[in-house]
Amino acid sequence: MTKHSNDLDTLFSALSDPTRRAILTRLARGPATLSDLHTPHDMALPSLMAHVKKLETAGLISTEKQGRIRTCRLTPGAFTPVQSWLEEQRSLWTSRLDRFDAYVTQLAQPNQEQTDDPRSKD
Amino acid sequence: MTKHSNDLDTLFSALSDPTRRAILTRLARGPATLSDLHTPHDMALPSLMAHVKKLETAGLISTEKQGRIRTCRLTPGAFTPVQSWLEEQRSLWTSRLDRFDAYVTQLAQPNQEQTDDPRSKD
DNA sequence: TGAATGCTTAGTCATACGACTAAGTATTCG
DNA sequence: CGAATACTTAGTCGTATGACTAAGCATTCA
């Protein structure tokens, strides 16, 4: 069993390395072979290969071998789960702010009934 | 020296663990003490503490101690570098698609001069 | 004051990660 | 065919991560 069971685990983990992010940035401009990807990095080829494999496992890129050459390309829409998670967090955060705002507004108008501080809700 | 020198390294790495993402989700609803954060997780308190510390190091949360109680809260805008990076990638990708589109359009109109396939550019 | 509470530190351990070298395999070129 | 090319596999090594237990240290409450 690998360490990361979850999609997001694997994605965020794959993105947490600068070499891998550089590879993605390169591939955003177009497909490339392993050697192409290797050239700018001061690192042995097997080490770079391991990064490429991690990106592929995370579903961020796909690779295809023709003859002795392996070509790598970005997977369209691979960032979607990441962006969705971020969006969900943002949504939770703003709805909290809304509730807090309503609470403060209510405090400022003591004529009306008050509910509990919404911040303490589970 | 820690392993992650870069902001993005630390951020993505902090986000790559489900316990830590759960903590963030909890804090999106409002501040909480360490014990609060601990309760739902079947894990020793020091282990949870380590996660909280990692989130704090990444700048995703801040903590403050009053008496014997440590309160944790989300750092507003902490996701910005992550979202900017994603946005930059998207931008590279779409500009590549635009260039490719222009190339295809040109192929379909052989009357006009053709440039090289933009995909092969460095 | 003495005990309970809430966190903190210290130390251990297993596994994962990321780099390397060396050697192997499969294409392609001369 | 034989050599160069482009990856691939295997094996090693040091460090990082993430979990645990046990013990320590303030604060607060009775």
Side-chain angles (χ1 to χ4, degrees), chain A residues 77-101:
Chain A
F79 293 133
T80 308
V82 170
Q83 303 205 275
S84 302
W85 187 83
L86 289 171
E87 177 52 31
E88 193 188 326
Q89 294 306 116
R90 199 195 59 72
S91 149
L92 286 171
W93 172 260
T94 57
S95 82
R96 158 167 147 64
L97 288 189
D98 288 351
R99 273 180 292 133
F100 181 65
D101 196 52

Side-chain angles (χ1 to χ4, degrees), chain B residues 9-68:
Chain B
D9 289 14
T10 321
L11 278 170
F12 279 123
S13 175
L15 293 171
S16 74
D17 181 275
T19 302
R20 287 194 290 266
R21 289 197 306 277
I23 291 174
L24 291 175
T25 300
R26 167 61 189 82
L27 291 180
R29 302 188 182 279
T33 69
L34 275 184
S35 301
D36 288 344
L37 293 177
H38 178 221
T39 305
H41 299 283
D42 188 19
M43 177 183 291
L45 184 56
S47 312
L48 190 117
M49 280 250 319
H51 286 300
V52 166
K53 196 164 287 180
K54 242 204 146 185
L55 289 169
E56 193 173 12
T57 300
L60 286 163
I61 70 174
S62 67
T63 76
E64 183 200 3
K65 194 158 182 178
Q66 303 159 116
R68 61 186 171 178

